[in-house]
Amino acid sequence: MLIRKLAIPITLLLGAATSFAAPALPCDSVAEYRSMLQQVDTASRAEDADFKEIGAQVPWECKFQSEGKDFRISNALLQTQISGVEAAQDSERKDKLAALQRTVADRIKAIDSYKQPIDPTVQPKLKQILANKDFKRVGSQSSDAIVQELLMKLLIKLFSLVAKNPDQAAFFAKIAVWTFIALIAAFLLLKLYRWATQARPIDVPREIIPFAPSAKSWKQWMNEARSALATGNFREAVHSSYWAAISHLESSGAWVPDKARTPREYLRLISRTNPSRALLAEISRVFELVWYGERTPAQSECEAFLARVEQIACN
């Protein structure tokens, strides 16, 4: 009698437990995986959808074989999205439900694309296209690619002496190649910068003086320069003061007198140890720009030029 009384509540409890713990949907093949996704999509669109039950029916992962390949697909994202819809407030529920349905639709679409049969006419058409002369080199390496591959293999072999891990050796080889390329690029950029910023030298004609510069005292040259400066003939002032510097240096024995030398030839003749060499290089550059380049200097520039010439005379 007691057993009969207990049997009824036990049966009800077992039935209730069975109803709350809905079994997971089968997912041991591509077809079952697609069917599971389709059932989730259909159930989620019902007005009285129970997302707790839907989540219980979705397995955490699906494992199956297809066309000789093993597939292991995690459903953690689906579980998270289903739980999110269940716990969402009314204002967020619509967006979260739409995100869940997009995920399911994307997975179904991926399955259908994977299972779509290959058009048997594709491969012959591809071979016919590649047979065209425009694609004659497709499928074969160029000589440049072969050389690059050989160099990379050589570098990897060298770095493998230091790094035992092949991946590390390949990484070091790539760093070496890119470092070399960066150095070459930096060298070329430096050359380009110097070429762009360096003033092109003026083609200096040979100025024939009927006598050696030292035949006229450097002081006489300077007097002529000051007179030209006073009258506003700044180019002539630079011209005369330059030859005053040459006359002083020549008289001091810096070189053998010659009445037909260019400013650059005087620079080549003067000793590197001569304390006036740097000043001579500076005034020679300005003199070429003013006299041969026909540039008229300002009065302040002219006065500064004469001051540097006088500094040479004081050395």
Side-chain angles (χ1 to χ4, degrees):
M1 191 71 179
L2 179 61
I3 296 175
R4 288 181 180 178
K5 290 181 179 180
L6 292 174
I8 295 173
I10 290 173
T11 304
L12 292 174
L13 288 172
L14 289 174
T18 304
S19 62
F20 282 115
L25 295 170
C27 194
D28 297 327
S29 66
V30 176
E32 289 180 351
Y33 175 51
R34 191 185 189 288
S35 176
M36 182 269 295
L37 292 172
Q38 191 65 56
Q39 290 183 56
V40 170
D41 183 67
T42 302
S44 68
R45 296 179 187 276
E47 293 184 2
D48 56 345
D50 185 352
F51 286 93
K52 186 174 183 180
E53 182 179 352
I54 295 173
Q57 292 179 331
V58 175
W60 280 103
E61 66 176 8
C62 298
K63 294 187 292 185
F64 50 83
Q65 285 188 338
S66 178
E67 299 180 3
K69 297 179 181 179
D70 293 327
F71 291 89
R72 187 171 183 172
I73 302 171
S74 173
N75 294 319
L77 176 61
L78 285 176
Q79 291 278 12
T80 302
Q81 289 181 319
I82 292 170
S83 300
V85 175
E86 179 188 359
Q89 300 294 331
D90 292 340
S91 58
E92 301 177 347
R93 189 181 181 88
K94 183 177 180 181
D95 292 337
K96 290 184 179 293
L97 178 59
L100 169 63
Q101 291 171 349
R102 280 197 302 271
T103 301
V104 173
D106 290 342
R107 292 197 176 193
I108 293 174
K109 184 177 179 181
I111 294 172
D112 294 340
S113 299
Y114 178 78
K115 295 177 65 177
Q116 186 175 5
I118 300 174
D119 186 357
T121 63
V122 170
Q123 192 168 3
K125 290 178 180 178
L126 180 61
K127 289 182 178 180
Q128 184 178 2
I129 293 172
L130 293 178
N132 193 296
K133 63 179 182 179
D134 295 334
F135 299 94
K136 63 180 180 180
R137 300 190 67 179
V138 174
S140 62
Q141 281 186 306
S142 64
S143 57
D144 293 342
I146 294 173
V147 171
Q148 291 175 9
E149 185 177 351
L150 290 176
L151 288 175
M152 185 58 69
K153 286 182 179 179
L154 178 61
L155 287 173
I156 292 174
K157 187 175 182 181
L158 289 174
F159 281 108
S160 63
L161 300 176
V162 180
K164 300 300 181 182
N165 190 333
D167 293 336
Q168 289 182 346
F171 177 72
F172 291 146
K174 290 179 180 178
I175 290 179
V177 170
W178 283 110
T179 302
F180 178 74
I181 293 174
L183 290 174
I184 295 295
F187 175 76
L188 293 176
L189 287 174
L190 179 61
K191 286 290 186 182
L192 181 62
Y193 173 78
R194 287 180 176 176
W195 175 84
T197 56
Q198 186 177 11
R200 295 185 179 181
I202 300 172
D203 188 13
V204 180
R206 186 175 297 277
E207 185 175 1
I208 304 299
I209 299 178
F211 50 85
S214 58
K216 184 190 293 188
S217 169
W218 75 272
K219 292 183 179 180
Q220 186 177 351
W221 282 112
M222 284 300 293
N223 290 333
E224 294 176 3
R226 292 190 185 97
S227 298
L229 177 62
T231 58
N233 192 349
F234 301 138
R235 290 187 68 246
E236 182 58 39
V238 169
H239 178 263
S240 297
S241 58
Y242 170 77
W243 288 116
I246 297 299
S247 174
H248 174 75
L249 291 170
E250 194 170 88
S251 300
S252 303
W255 52 72
V256 177
D258 190 336
K259 61 181 181 180
R261 284 199 183 109
T262 64
R264 291 177 211 165
E265 289 173 329
Y266 286 118
L267 274 176
R268 285 196 293 268
L269 289 172
I270 192 170
S271 172
R272 293 184 179 275
T273 59
N274 193 309
S276 299
R277 178 180 175 82
L279 279 171
L280 180 62
E282 184 179 352
I283 67 170
S284 296
R285 180 180 61 81
V286 177
F287 171 67
E288 288 180 352
L289 292 173
V290 170
W291 191 250
Y292 301 117
E294 297 183 355
R295 184 177 71 85
T296 301
Q299 182 176 350
S300 58
E301 292 178 285
C302 189
E303 291 173 350
F305 188 88
L306 267 67
R308 286 193 287 271
V309 171
E310 289 176 343
Q311 188 177 348
I312 290 177
C314 293
N315 287 341

